[in-house]
Amino acid sequence: MQFNRGTSAMQHYVATRPMFIDVEIMNTDIQVVLGDDGPQADSSSIAEGLSILYKEIADTVRKEATTIMAVFPSPNEVMSILVQRVLEQRVTAILDKLLIRPSLASLPPVEEGGLLHYLRVLSVAYDKTEELAKELQSIGCGDLDIEGLTESIYVSHKDEYTEFEHASLRQLYQSKMAELRAEAKQQSESTGSIGRAKGASLNTSPQQLISVTVVTEFVRWNEEAISRCTLLFSQPTTVAANVRSIFACLLDQVSQYLTVGLDGARESLNE
């Protein structure tokens, strides 16, 4: 009765594990994931860092499981408390520093990765956390709903995912169009003296040629977005709705690009 049927001892044992109270461990966690680059670390480096860290967490839980099996009469209950604490405290602390949601009102510049950086980090973090959850389940977590708990960690990011994906695709498109306009202007200026010698109008605007390469780039952005969507969502109806809306972005981009290109070609015929 004094031990509260062992519940107090279980909770005390889990709460006093070094990984939950050692500040040094917590600081090391984020250093392992982000390295020296901090929040600007690229998604592949972050994926590598999370793999190393999550392996260390799984190894620690495996060692704890050996002790728990030997000491406690109800080891499954203790494992459930331990794994829940690992996900809610240690993993969430890492993800809070990793997944800093940008503002849609003031987008991060494309030169610094833009919205795409956040979406790529979200994707690799979700993928690696799911792998960790499966590993912890194989070690043992009692009757804990580990899938549901993992999903709950990402619920706020997934709720706004589609909005961010659309905004990212728009940002990539606008950046590409600005780049093409700058190239066309530079080309126009370099051939301007020849044009003036032949009596061409000084008001001629630089024309962009339609290129299959550019459209292929739109398709590549779309493919990456759809691969993220199918990773983050498993419900067929949700996946279908999101894929449809992402594909609509591609159609819109191709349509805008071709319209601008054809209008420009028609203007050049008039000139």
Side-chain angles (χ1 to χ4, degrees), residues 18-259:
M19 66 174 154
F20 301 131
I21 55 174
D22 191 334
V23 177
E24 192 59 41
I25 289 176
M26 296 172 203
N27 293 337
T28 306
D29 284 355
I30 202 65
Q31 179 63 30
V32 167
V33 176
L34 293 177
D36 298 327
D37 296 330
Q40 291 307 313
D42 62 72
S43 55
S44 57
S45 301
I46 288 171
E48 196 177 321
L50 278 173
S51 292
I52 294 165
L53 178 63
Y54 283 175
K55 182 183 181 301
E56 187 263 312
I57 290 174
D59 289 346
T60 303
V61 171
R62 198 174 281 107
K63 283 176 193 165
E64 293 292 351
T66 309
T67 307
I68 288 165
M69 295 297 172
V71 172
F72 290 93
S74 308
N76 284 345
E77 286 182 50
V78 189
M79 288 303 295
S80 175
I81 297 168
L82 176 67
V83 170
Q84 183 173 352
R85 187 80 179 257
V86 165
L87 289 171
E88 286 181 345
Q89 184 174 324
R90 194 169 177 192
V91 170
T92 302
I94 298 155
L95 296 176
D96 284 347
K97 287 191 170 70
L98 202 57
L99 298 173
I100 300 162
R101 197 166 20 220
S103 165
L104 288 176
S106 174
L107 303 183
V110 175
E111 300 75 38
E112 293 173 16
L115 284 176
L116 185 59
H117 176 71
Y118 162 72
L119 289 165
R120 282 175 171 169
V121 172
L122 173 61
S123 174
V124 298
Y126 183 82
D127 189 34
K128 296 296 177 188
T129 307
E130 276 214 315
E131 284 178 17
L132 173 66
K134 285 174 187 166
E135 182 72 14
L136 293 175
Q137 195 164 27
S138 71
I139 295 167
C141 59
D143 57 0
L144 179 71
D145 176 13
I146 196 164
E147 279 185 30
L149 185 56
T150 307
E151 284 298 308
S152 71
I153 294 171
Y154 286 93
V155 71
S156 64
H157 295 280
K158 288 171 74 170
D159 283 348
E160 296 181 356
Y161 160 76
T162 314
E163 240 181 296
F164 275 86
E165 196 68 83
H166 289 180
S168 171
L169 289 167
R170 283 195 299 274
Q171 185 183 38
L172 288 168
Y173 178 79
Q174 286 160 5
S175 171
K176 188 66 184 176
M177 291 303 100
E179 183 191 315
L180 292 172
R181 280 193 296 273
E183 283 176 9
K185 187 180 178 186
Q186 193 176 8
Q187 197 174 2
S188 172
E189 285 169 357
S190 65
T191 56
S193 54
I194 300 168
R196 281 193 292 275
K198 292 182 178 177
S201 166
L202 292 174
N203 296 322
T204 303
S205 58
Q207 300 301 337
Q208 294 168 221
L209 298 174
I210 296 172
S211 161
V212 175
T213 312
V214 174
V215 177
T216 307
E217 204 167 337
F218 300 163
V219 174
R220 189 169 51 74
W221 299 338
N222 209 260
E223 281 177 339
E224 185 183 329
I226 286 173
S227 70
R228 264 193 298 274
C229 173
T230 52
L231 170 71
L232 292 169
F233 300 94
S234 54
Q235 279 289 102
T237 49
T238 312
V239 172
N242 285 341
V243 167
R244 178 187 170 125
S245 68
I246 291 168
F247 184 61
C249 289
L250 172 64
L251 297 182
D252 188 44
Q253 288 175 353
V254 173
S255 168
Q256 283 182 53
Y257 177 66
L258 293 180
T259 303

